[in-house]
Amino acid sequence: MIDVYTWEPNANSGKPLLGLREKNLAFTHHYVDMGKREHHAPDYLKINPGGTIPTVIDNGYKMTESTPFLEYMDDAHDGPSLVPSDPYEAWRMRWWCRYLDRDICPALAMVASNALAAPMLAGQTAEQRKEALDRIPLPERRRTWELLYANATPKSEIEESQRRISACIALMEETLSKQPYLAGASYSLAEIVALITMYGWPLRDDVGEAATPHLWLWFKRCLSRPAYKATFDKANAFMGGRAKDARAKLGLAE
Amino acid sequence: MLELYHWEPNLNSGEPIIALKEKGIDFTSHYVDVQKFEQHAPAFLKLNRQGQVPVLVHDGKVITETTLMLLYIEAAFPQPSLMPKRADDRYLVHMWSKYADEYLAPAIAMLGWHQVTYPKIKAQLPAARAGISRLPPERQAVWQLALDDAYTNEMLEQARSRLDVRIKRIEEQLAASRYLAGDSYSLADIMIYPAARSFASVVPDLVTPAKTPRLFEWLDKVGSRPAVRATLAMARTPAPEQVFAPGPEVPRWG
């Protein structure tokens, strides 16, 4: 019995949704609406006092870190193996997971939330902001939301994030020119961590058949997987739509 | 052929040394003097362009990222096992891996450099400036801040609050189990131990017999292991837990 408390198939909140489907494991998705900030509301804080999503409960055992959960899922359950058996390939998989989680996903989140969320939040009153910030348990998260509310992320920081995203695209292209998947010969947890954040990348101007041919083929291979489609078919209109547009641009059948 | 490039047996460098000694594996030790900036020498940067220790070279394969290196050592040299027997405890190893590298290491390195090391070696720092130009931009930024000791009060306060959250998590875990990932000693303890030895130097008010009695008990227990004692005996400075260098970047967003 696996219960997943999370939002949409997007970034950390999406990792267990895609991971569990790749592993062919049944689960119940308890929807936590991040748009309504339900992850900072009392009901959810009873489940995870840290106020982060996802939370996964497997047979009574609670986990709140998304990439460590993927390791657990692969380790504890039968199903297709998603961690390479070769020690060096397993290290490479973890290297990618760590690099994406630590360096790239925050850069993408900074760029996206400043472009999308900050203008929307700007309309709120000071009291509304204070009330919302006071509900965020972890100090580092509170700081991020404070910057967003104030629309105060320095421009140089956003440019640095964009530089990192470009460097990541180049590194993926180089890696995938030598091997079909990030860790080596087979699809692994590194793909799950990458794709759940990058599913819209085929729509980017700097990703394409001509500019990044090996990355393009990797997207084709990965986004045609049944688990991927099943995950995004259940997504909300915005994310599901982007995933659909990305598949169409790759020339994949619906 | 197994070679380890490392500094003092402290934060980061101490971890793989303990793991290899626990497993009784011989390795060639290459001491890299970080306070002489040897990690920025061109020859070392060929090994790891980030200019960070430790680096493990196993039959020509270059392994970086401290706690992922420990998981590699476990996979490549499974006996005696340093992974817990239960899958839910193994989840905790992956969780501590993330906490060690992303929260503890950057915060301890920043506070330790600012409070302890910078005042002592200020005069030698002009020699370091040439070397940092050879680093990738994100590492240059970390070093630039350190060489100028330009941390803002907000950055230092955030580092303290990150440590506060995780020190409480350690204490809480040690109330639930004898070690950090269950009732037996594992990689999780090795991932945290060298960092935990430095808590008293960087945040003395957060670790006291009244606040963190279990942490102290655990430090004694782990510190009495022969492999840990042999590791600490490799120190070239009288108190390796009190020498610091700019560490990994502080998480930038969220």
Side-chain angles (χ1 to χ4, degrees), chain B residues 17-242:
Chain B
I17 303 176
I18 296 174
L20 291 167
K21 289 192 181 290
E22 290 284 1
K23 286 177 178 284
I25 297 159
D26 286 334
F27 61 96
T28 306
S29 153
H30 299 281
Y31 188 87
V32 179
D33 194 335
V34 170
Q35 286 193 353
K36 290 190 178 139
F37 316 109
E38 289 174 359
Q39 76 283 17
H40 299 160
F44 185 80
L45 291 175
K46 270 192 203 153
L47 211 52
N48 179 9
R49 66 184 289 269
Q50 299 290 324
Q52 286 175 292
V53 283
V55 175
L56 183 72
V57 184
H58 185 203
D59 296 336
K61 293 185 289 273
V62 177
I63 313 287
T64 57
E65 297 286 346
T66 312
T67 65
L68 306 185
M69 184 185 296
L70 297 198
L71 291 163
Y72 174 82
I73 290 171
E74 179 67 21
F77 307 98
Q79 297 304 327
S81 172
L82 291 169
M83 278 303 252
K85 290 195 177 64
R86 293 157 47 110
D88 48 2
D89 290 336
R90 290 195 293 272
Y91 162 79
L92 293 172
V93 173
H94 296 291
M95 180 195 82
W96 288 116
S97 156
K98 177 186 163 79
Y99 290 175
D101 291 349
E102 292 187 34
Y103 302 120
L104 297 183
I108 290 171
M110 181 189 291
L111 294 171
W113 175 267
H114 173 71
Q115 292 165 200
V116 184
T117 298
Y118 177 80
K120 280 188 203 154
I121 68 164
K122 221 167 17 180
Q124 303 157 35
L125 293 179
R129 292 192 186 265
I132 68 167
S133 65
R134 293 191 280 266
L135 298 175
E138 64 275 15
R139 291 300 301 160
Q140 282 192 27
V142 167
W143 270 92
Q144 199 59 59
L145 264 176
L147 293 181
D148 298 338
D149 194 31
Y151 306 114
T152 62
N153 284 336
E154 193 200 339
M155 292 162 91
L156 296 166
E157 200 37 61
Q158 270 207 57
R160 276 180 56 83
S161 87
R162 281 171 194 274
L163 285 181
D164 187 31
V165 170
R166 269 78 210 186
I167 287 170
K168 286 180 180 141
R169 182 69 184 81
I170 292 172
E171 191 64 17
E172 184 191 306
Q173 185 64 47
L174 293 172
S177 57
R178 292 179 60 224
Y179 289 93
L180 288 175
D183 284 329
S184 41
Y185 176 77
S186 75
L187 285 186
D189 301 289
I190 302 175
M191 289 169 177
I192 302 300
Y193 177 77
R197 288 188 84 233
S198 293
F199 288 157
S201 310
V202 294
V203 282
D205 52 320
L206 300 183
V207 285
T208 63
K211 282 184 187 164
T212 56
R214 294 182 181 90
L215 170 71
F216 284 108
E217 215 177 284
W218 170 85
L219 276 170
D220 284 345
K221 200 159 58 181
V222 176
S224 67
R225 297 181 65 87
V228 175
R229 295 163 81 115
T231 299
L232 293 173
M234 288 172 69
R236 297 188 183 185
T237 57
E241 73 281 7
Q242 290 173 28

Side-chain angles (χ1 to χ4, degrees), chain A residues 61 63-65 68 71-72 75 87-88 91 94 98 102 113 140 143-144 157 160-161 163-164, chain B residues 61 63-65 68 72 87-88 90-91 94 97-99 101 137-138 154 162 166 249 252-254:
Chain A
Y61 186 64
M63 290 162 275
T64 57
E65 294 293 342
E71 292 262 12
Y72 164 88
D75 176 16
Y88 184 65
W91 173 78
R94 294 187 175 116
R98 183 60 59 85
R102 181 188 56 198
S113 51
E140 62 247 32
R143 173 69 191 141
T144 301
E157 283 290 299
E160 172 61 12
S161 291
R163 183 190 70 77
R164 290 180 192 215
Chain B
K61 293 185 289 273
I63 313 287
T64 57
E65 297 286 346
L68 306 185
Y72 174 82
D88 48 2
R90 290 195 293 272
Y91 162 79
H94 296 291
S97 156
K98 177 186 163 79
Y99 290 175
D101 291 349
E138 64 275 15
E154 193 200 339
R162 281 171 194 274
R166 269 78 210 186
E249 182 185 64
R252 298 172 65 236
W253 192 255

